[in-house]
Amino acid sequence: MDAIATTSRGRVRGRVRDGIATFLGIPYAAAPFGPHRFRAPAPVAPWEGLRDALDYGPTAPQRPYRPPLDQLIPDVDIPGEECLNLNVWTPDTEGRPLPVMVWIHGGSLRNGSGAVPLYDGRAFARDGVVLVTVNYRLGVEGFGVFPDAPDNRGLLDQIAALTWVRENIAAFGGDPGSVTVCGESAGAISIAALMTSPRAAGLFHRAVLQSGPPQTVSRNRGAKTVAAMAKALRVPATAEAFAAVDRGLLLDVQTAVVGKADPISGGPGFHLVVDGDVIPAEPSQPTVDLLMGSNREEYRLWFVPSGMVDRISGLSLRLALLKFRIPGRVARLYRTTRPGAKPGVILGEMATDLLLRGPLNRLADSRPDRTFLYEFAWRSPVLGLGACHALEIGFVFDNLRHGEELTGPGAPQPLADVMHRAWVAFASSGDPGWSAWNESRPVMVFDHPDTGVALAPRQEELQPWLRP
């Protein structure tokens, strides 16, 4: 059965199944190639007649994750230039406007898309929320820093998608006055920037940050990755020169320069940069309702399947402590609470707290009103991943069958019921179902169906990371 909606650029045809209308691959901006290459997103040309929105649209140019992550986080590659598109799931019913959630995917700003099966929004639509997933430019196309191109182009794409939501979501049954933007990893980092960007003011009313803290760098630091690519390509470090390079070669060189980097170990990569425009030098205090948290063992996604956890020696741990200026007493505290743990485990646990839990707790401390924190602690049996990075997504989307690469078969559906219900409640009311942040530092710990709030879990270990 068909579903028809009218957008500001033309009419689209989706598909209805089991009471859920799905519209896929709707363009929200012009194809970012040709005259629009390395430019801010441009308006999409109107179309005449009825445009099919039955299949996912093209994805942003990218290469797959390196092994073994390519098996744990399957990506989608759909060729084509019209990659600035989005997808909508909505109940096929008439009635009052429904709350809206806009999902911004992760992937270190160089991987991912809104077409990943794990992000299917049927469960949200089933429970009365209009779900939108978004594609945005990745890698050097979206986040390369050039002297002759606007910065943060991928973030500008996200703002263009949110503007489309404000202007069009009512045609899909959504309430443009009740928009929650949510994302994981690089998606959450993007949202933290959107919360402070004057360009995004008024486009959303609540935000969910999953495993991604506020994180920006200077333009000079952001430009280093482009400089390294330019050296490998033997071309000037300009958008004009990069636009003349074969796209496949550009991706190959990008992979060679940044492919081995990860959020925990570091290395060259792509970043959001403080440009004084999209991301101001002095960001304003965010005023939206906020739900955020992290997974208990984030580091294990990168440290365990690769074998890094076993390769890190005591000397490597000591060098890391020096690099990050971590006092020896902090490392001793982590050793005391994990007797017999390998140096790689100690380093991974500290890195998770330094890079994720600490910054998220500091953000909560800076704006405690209408802020809620969680920790995801259920441990996957797959390859010893434990409560690793990205594991929570299938539970949030109530879509465990598409997340078995990380969870394995038989992940607890009752836990997905509880977690998904909390996200629906937050999008609907701004209250996920537990106490807002206060002086007792309440954290909802998602571990099993009888999950509950813990007051300041692992507070002693958290303290070293809370100092400014």
Side-chain angles (χ1 to χ4, degrees):
M1 176 178 169
D2 290 346
I4 309 297
T6 301
T7 76
S8 60
R9 314 310 281 176
R11 298 167 69 224
V12 291
R13 172 170 41 213
R15 181 178 289 118
V16 178
R17 181 168 62 87
D18 298 332
I20 306 299
T22 304
F23 298 84
L24 305 176
I26 304 173
Y28 66 83
F33 297 101
H36 304 305
R37 186 94 179 270
F38 296 114
R39 301 290 114 196
V44 65
W47 57 84
E48 295 183 1
L50 192 58
R51 178 183 177 123
D52 281 342
L54 305 175
D55 299 298
Y56 288 112
T59 53
Q62 59 192 280
R63 289 283 188 257
Y65 290 100
R66 284 179 176 266
L69 287 187
D70 59 337
Q71 299 300 312
L72 296 171
I73 310 178
D75 231 333
V76 176
D77 182 15
I78 303 174
E81 294 197 341
E82 205 172 48
C83 60
L84 299 185
N85 60 71
L86 51 76
N87 314 295
V88 181
W89 289 262
T90 182
D92 184 38
T93 57
E94 300 273 338
R96 64 179 179 82
L98 299 172
V100 180
M101 293 184 73
V102 180
W103 175 258
I104 298 177
H105 68 79
S108 299
L109 300 178
R110 62 179 187 264
N111 283 90
S113 78
V116 172
L118 187 61
Y119 308 151
D120 183 291
R122 295 184 63 82
F124 280 108
R126 175 199 69 201
D127 295 330
V129 174
V130 178
L131 193 283
V132 181
T133 65
V134 174
N135 286 353
Y136 56 95
R137 277 173 285 183
L138 302 170
V140 73
E141 300 279 354
F143 299 96
V145 178
F146 298 101
D148 55 340
D151 296 326
N152 301 305
R153 295 174 300 280
L155 199 68
L156 288 171
D157 294 343
Q158 296 169 19
I159 293 171
L162 288 167
T163 302
W164 183 97
V165 168
R166 181 182 63 188
E167 295 174 353
N168 294 284
I169 205 63
F172 299 83
D175 181 359
S178 180
V179 175
T180 299
V181 63
C182 48
E184 184 266 349
S185 194
I189 292 170
S190 296
I191 292 169
L194 290 172
M195 288 196 304
T196 65
S197 175
R199 297 277 197 106
L203 294 180
F204 56 94
H205 313 90
R206 301 181 181 103
V208 182
L209 276 62
Q210 297 173 212
S211 302
Q215 188 179 90
T216 57
V217 302
S218 68
R219 291 193 79 253
N220 286 341
R221 181 180 169 190
K224 289 182 179 180
T225 300
V226 165
M229 291 181 62
K231 182 177 180 181
L233 290 164
R234 298 183 181 180
V235 300
T238 64
E240 181 181 14
F242 273 52
V245 176
D246 174 79
R247 281 189 224 159
L249 175 59
L250 203 58
L251 284 172
D252 290 341
V253 171
Q254 174 180 296
T255 300
V257 170
V258 307
K260 294 183 179 180
D262 67 63
I264 297 294
S265 304
F270 295 100
H271 308 274
L272 301 174
V273 300
V274 177
D275 59 359
D277 177 18
V278 183
I279 301 179
E282 296 183 3
S284 59
Q285 181 75 3
T287 57
V288 299
D289 296 340
L290 186 57
L291 167 62
M292 58 184 178
S294 58
N295 297 353
R296 182 164 292 176
E297 299 170 302
E298 297 272 357
Y299 73 98
R300 294 184 77 86
L301 179 65
W302 298 283
F303 277 30
V304 174
S306 67
M308 186 186 302
V309 72
D310 296 316
R311 293 196 299 271
I312 294 172
S313 64
L315 175 60
S316 300
L317 175 58
R318 289 192 292 274
L319 292 173
L321 297 179
L322 292 172
K323 177 181 178 180
F324 292 106
R325 298 180 180 179
I326 299 172
R329 60 179 174 77
V330 175
R332 288 192 293 273
L333 170 63
Y334 278 76
R335 289 193 187 97
T336 299
T337 54
R338 295 165 183 79
K342 300 175 182 177
V345 170
I346 300 298
L347 179 59
E349 295 278 8
M350 286 195 297
T352 295
D353 291 349
L354 170 66
L355 301 175
L356 276 168
R357 288 183 70 239
L360 292 177
N361 274 259
R362 288 196 299 272
L363 178 56
D365 287 339
S366 73
R367 41 144 11 254
D369 292 341
R370 305 299 297 172
T371 297
F372 302 85
L373 256 67
Y374 76 87
E375 181 177 78
F376 184 78
W378 181 80
R379 304 190 80 246
S380 169
V382 175
L383 297 175
L385 288 172
C388 71
H389 190 70
L391 183 64
E392 87 288 358
I393 299 174
F395 293 83
V396 168
F397 275 78
D398 190 10
N399 197 8
L400 294 177
R401 68 188 182 91
H402 284 304
E404 289 188 355
E405 291 86 358
L406 287 176
T407 66
Q413 179 61 45
L415 180 57
D417 295 340
V418 170
M419 199 168 191
H420 173 75
R421 190 159 55 241
W423 264 239
V424 169
F426 181 75
S428 302
S429 68
D431 183 351
W434 62 90
S435 299
W437 195 248
N438 55 49
E439 63 277 0
S440 66
R441 311 176 74 82
V443 177
M444 172 61 81
V445 179
F446 290 102
D447 193 356
H448 49 75
D450 298 323
T451 192
V453 172
L455 297 181
R458 296 194 290 125
Q459 176 70 10
E460 186 179 7
E461 292 176 354
L462 183 61
Q463 281 306 305
W465 319 115
L466 297 183
R467 302 189 183 102

